[in-house]
């Protein structure tokens, strides 16, 4: 599950690349199995007459509609949702035909909160809410290994370079240029 390199900056490294937890695919797979069972039952139980064939086509059309809406669509969305944590930012990407990507720089993150239900705690998943400066927030639902991800996010925020503020107004030419970062924890 590689993330495209052209999205990343020159010195940027991917620390975590996650998709939503597998439990998001359980209900759509169950709907697919239920639709398949319904189709087999209709094929076996409906008579072989003209009315039975018309009934089978109607059942097939209804099951295809519900399968596409409640099974295939959620599975495709689940497959094409990416949560990427780099040493500089958080990238949230989803979409198949129309792709939406959102970036949150680590040095602008104010707060992050983790919410877990009892089932989430048993499966190790959760919902991570990340608040950023300027009333922006991102909600990562169904995040696998949620507690480890929150700890890693905290470490990334602590090691991210802070925004340089010019206090005396002279500009950055008076200061020595910082050495470029070559990794997450080393210079």
């Amino acid at each position: 599950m590689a993330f495209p390199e052209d999205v990343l900056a020159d010195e940027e490294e991917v620390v975590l690349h996650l998709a939503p937890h597998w439990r998001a695919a359980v209900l759509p797979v169950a709907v697919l199995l239920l639709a398949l069972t319904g189709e087999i039952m209709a094929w076996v139980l409906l008579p072989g007459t003209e009315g039975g064939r018309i009934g089978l086509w109607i059942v097939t059309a209804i099951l295809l509609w519900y399968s596409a809406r409640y099974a295939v669509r959620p599975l495709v969305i689940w497959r094409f949702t990416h949560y990427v944590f780099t040493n500089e930012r958080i990238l949230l990407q989803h979409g198949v035909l129309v792709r939406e990507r959102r970036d949150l720089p680590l040095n602008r993150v104010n707060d992050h909160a983790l919410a877990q239900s009892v089932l989430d705690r048993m499966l190790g998943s959760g919902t991570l809410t990340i608040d950023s400066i300027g009333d922006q927030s991102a909600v990562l639902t169904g995040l696998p290994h949620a507690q480890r991800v929150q700890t890693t996010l905290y470490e990334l925020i602590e090691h991210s370079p802070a925004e340089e503020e010019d206090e005396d107004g002279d500009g950055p030419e008076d200061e020595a240029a910082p050495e470029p970062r070559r990794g997450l924890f080393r210079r």
Side-chain angles (χ1 to χ4, degrees):
M1 180 161 67
F3 199 72
E5 291 292 325
D6 60 341
V7 174
L8 304 176
D10 292 335
E11 298 287 324
E12 194 170 12
E13 296 176 12
V14 174
V15 177
L16 290 173
H17 181 193
L18 304 167
H21 197 268
W22 58 265
R23 79 177 177 119
V26 171
L27 186 60
V29 168
V31 168
L32 277 177
L33 291 175
L34 187 63
L36 181 63
T37 304
E39 183 65 26
I40 291 171
M41 285 179 57
W43 183 60
V44 169
L45 295 176
L46 289 174
T49 64
E50 185 68 26
R53 284 193 294 273
I54 291 173
L56 183 61
W57 281 108
I58 291 172
V59 168
T60 301
I62 291 170
L63 290 178
L64 280 175
W65 166 255
Y66 278 101
S67 295
R69 183 171 182 191
Y70 296 110
V72 175
R73 182 176 178 267
L75 283 173
V76 169
I77 290 171
W78 170 71
R79 171 62 183 91
F80 287 97
T81 299
H82 298 277
Y83 304 136
V84 179
F85 294 81
T86 70
N87 57 343
E88 295 179 11
R89 60 187 167 157
I90 302 166
L91 292 110
L92 310 172
Q93 177 176 301
H94 67 277
V96 180
L97 298 176
V98 177
R99 181 166 291 159
E100 182 179 327
R101 183 178 300 138
R102 184 166 180 203
D103 297 345
L104 289 172
L106 289 175
N107 57 6
R108 310 235 343 138
V109 172
N110 280 359
D111 185 33
H112 48 92
L114 177 64
Q116 290 181 305
S117 66
V118 174
L119 182 63
D120 284 335
R121 291 180 65 195
M122 289 173 34
L123 295 175
S125 64
T127 300
L128 185 64
T129 304
I130 302 169
D131 291 326
S132 179
I133 295 175
D135 293 331
Q136 295 180 357
S137 65
V139 179
L140 285 66
T141 56
L143 191 66
H145 314 293
Q147 291 177 342
R148 280 193 282 170
V149 171
Q150 186 183 25
T151 303
T152 303
L153 177 61
Y154 176 76
E155 291 171 355
L156 288 171
I157 292 170
E158 288 297 313
H159 292 95
S160 70
E163 288 186 44
E164 309 245 350
E165 295 184 13
D166 190 17
E167 295 176 3
D168 56 355
D170 293 327
E173 60 271 4
D174 293 342
E175 301 175 12
E179 189 175 322
R181 292 184 65 148
R182 302 228 191 282
L184 179 59
F185 298 110
R186 54 196 150 101
R187 288 200 175 264

